[in-house]
Amino acid sequence: MKTTRRELAATLGAAALAPAAAPLVRGIEQTTFWDNLDGKGTTWFHPRICRVPGPSPSLLMTLQSISGSDYFGPVHWSESRDLGRRWSEPRPIPELGRHTNPDGMVEGYCDAVPEYHAATATVLAMAHNVYYAGGKLARPDTARWPVYFLRRRDGAWGPLRRLEWDNPEASAIYTSGCSQRVTLPSGDILVPLSLGPLGRVDRGVCSVRCTFDGKTLAIREQGNVLRFSQGRGLLEPSLTALDGTFYMTIRAENGQGFVARSQDGLEWAPMLPWCWDGGEPVNMSTTQQRWMPHSDALYLVYTRKDASNVNVMRWRAPLFMAEVDRRTLRLVRSTERVVIPMNADGVHQAKAVEHQGNFHTTPISAEESLVSTGTVVPASFTGAVRIARVRWARPNRVLG
């Protein structure tokens, strides 16, 4: 039976929008895995983590190598049995390597995000297809779309499938790559998409409600499309829900990022640029943001322009976090913390700085959340996987 939009919102409770009365972040610890700054090994990228519940909860990570600008190897997986203190060596996921199409174009997959789906006891991972030619990223006049794949309780990976959609507004591209999704109490999933038709450069964003039965992910309903005409438009949207309200954060190419609010996760109010609580704009440069919800407050993880990183491309280090004032949809400046610092001087040694612009957040317990990033020094494509462990001063009940 179809759940109404009002019921989708009501199941998540009543809103309590005031900023937290006392600091929630008790401390932040940084750790490093698979360090390849010397260039002798593999530079791992897109490390994204989900928590798999059970008597002894585990963490599952998807990641892939990078050796050039947007030039990725096959998608791999790694597992932790001690909530992220140690990780198994990455192993390839069947069907998520590269293959050569009949036209000679090499096709692969990237931007994978795994999330646990409790109703079916599976990990549902979403990514999108990508094309390569001559050892680098190709941008052919060929449609691109999301793909999904499963990991079952017995550890087996399921088949790779395309998320089907016949929307004419998405004839050139529709993608959920890198994005955070929201799983509803019914088991339905809200998926944010960036989409565009053939012949149009700038993309819009929307969300869709999907059913998932443990095998097939299917779009059942679409919300309104938000648009912005500058550059490539709106990219890499991510969703979260807290206290009965849904939020979307959006990458853009005009020196800003955007935020929007919804009461049902489908129909979005007009988006606003990210600003500080005093009204000043937060200077961002075509880089994604990620939500880090706590049951008492909503946080955003992001990059921005700062005196310490003025010469770093797109200001892609360090990673910051700050609380969102949910009444105004602005960042509370007094709560800002550095989550993962820069490794070098961003003013005088900017070429040595590890870029951190592709990252993810994961609540792993009532006490801790993780921020994971695969860093890259662009001149050499060396880097490391860095994980920040954010410790909460009060229990985080978002895991239920």
Side-chain angles (χ1 to χ4, degrees):
M1 182 175 66
K2 180 178 177 180
T3 305
T4 68
R5 295 179 181 178
R6 180 174 296 178
E7 289 169 335
L8 296 183
T11 55
L12 297 177
L17 301 180
L24 275 175
V25 180
R26 182 165 58 88
I28 302 175
E29 173 193 354
Q30 289 90 20
T31 53
T32 300
F33 300 89
W34 303 301
D35 187 334
N36 188 42
L37 289 172
D38 62 6
K40 296 180 180 179
T42 300
T43 301
W44 293 106
F45 204 61
H46 292 320
R48 298 197 171 93
I49 299 167
C50 74
R51 178 182 182 271
V52 181
S56 298
S58 63
L59 301 180
L60 181 69
M61 176 193 296
T62 55
L63 69 172
Q64 59 194 135
S65 63
I66 185 170
S67 56
S69 179
D70 289 326
Y71 190 68
F72 306 114
V75 180
H76 285 57
W77 66 277
S78 176
E79 190 172 34
S80 173
R81 294 289 182 176
D82 57 6
L83 294 183
R85 294 293 182 185
R86 292 170 295 179
W87 291 91
S88 63
E89 282 302 306
R91 285 182 274 179
I93 297 175
E95 297 190 52
L96 286 173
R98 297 178 182 175
H99 58 271
T100 302
N101 293 331
D103 61 2
M105 189 71 67
V106 175
E107 185 176 14
Y109 307 94
C110 66
D111 296 351
V113 178
E115 291 187 2
Y116 184 75
H117 189 258
T120 59
T122 58
V123 172
L124 171 66
M126 295 189 69
H128 69 240
N129 66 332
V130 64
Y131 300 97
Y132 302 112
K136 61 182 181 180
L137 178 68
R139 301 186 186 276
D141 186 18
T142 304
R144 294 175 61 185
W145 51 79
V147 296
Y148 62 96
F149 49 102
L150 316 176
R151 189 173 191 256
R152 306 186 191 284
R153 184 175 293 175
D154 62 4
W157 288 96
L160 178 71
R161 296 183 178 181
R162 172 178 171 173
L163 179 61
E164 300 289 349
W165 202 27
D166 59 0
N167 188 335
E169 290 189 275
S171 56
I173 187 171
Y174 60 105
T175 174
S176 66
C178 303
S179 296
Q180 293 169 303
R181 313 183 291 272
V182 170
T183 301
L184 300 167
S186 65
D188 287 357
I189 304 170
L190 293 174
V191 178
L193 296 172
S194 180
L195 70 158
L198 291 169
R200 182 167 181 168
V201 175
D202 59 294
R203 303 178 197 168
V205 296
C206 72
S207 54
V208 293
R209 182 182 63 85
C210 299
T211 55
F212 179 61
D213 61 5
K215 295 181 179 179
T216 303
L217 184 69
I219 295 174
R220 301 303 184 192
E221 190 175 7
Q222 175 196 332
N224 62 314
V225 178
L226 302 176
R227 294 198 177 279
F228 185 71
S229 61
Q230 188 164 334
R232 289 181 294 166
L234 303 176
L235 309 168
E236 294 175 335
S238 274
L239 301 182
T240 196
L242 188 61
D243 293 328
T245 300
F246 299 84
Y247 303 88
M248 181 189 293
T249 187
I250 311 164
R251 170 181 169 180
E253 299 196 312
N254 68 329
Q256 296 177 304
F258 289 96
V259 59
R261 178 162 40 203
S262 170
Q263 294 307 308
D264 62 9
L266 287 171
E267 296 299 318
W268 297 92
M271 62 188 185
L272 301 170
W274 279 112
C275 292
W276 297 113
D277 47 348
E280 305 90 348
V282 180
N283 293 321
M284 300 175 174
S285 180
T286 184
T287 300
Q288 57 195 229
Q289 309 100 43
R290 288 289 173 272
W291 299 111
M292 185 159 58
H294 186 284
S295 49
D296 291 345
L298 180 60
Y299 282 81
L300 188 76
V301 182
Y302 54 93
T303 60
R304 66 168 179 86
K305 185 179 182 180
D306 180 72
S308 67
N309 66 7
V310 291
N311 291 324
V312 177
M313 187 190 77
R314 298 181 184 173
W315 314 315
R316 285 196 163 183
L319 289 183
F320 295 96
M321 66 177 287
E323 185 181 348
V324 178
D325 185 331
R326 288 181 278 159
R327 297 169 300 187
T328 62
L329 295 183
R330 292 179 174 179
L331 298 180
V332 181
R333 190 189 286 268
S334 63
T335 67
E336 186 179 64
R337 301 279 299 269
V338 172
V339 185
I340 300 180
M342 284 189 293
N343 66 306
D345 186 332
V347 178
H348 302 102
Q349 297 177 308
K351 291 184 178 180
V353 169
E354 300 169 39
H355 291 192
Q356 304 175 15
N358 289 271
F359 56 95
H360 203 67
T361 69
T362 312
I364 61 168
S365 71
E367 293 76 32
E368 296 179 330
S369 293
L370 299 184
V371 180
S372 54
T373 183
T375 70
V376 167
V377 179
S380 57
F381 282 92
T382 57
V385 171
R386 303 197 184 276
I387 296 178
R389 189 175 296 268
V390 178
R391 297 193 176 92
W392 301 111
R394 298 196 295 279
N396 185 8
R397 299 179 299 278
V398 298
L399 291 174

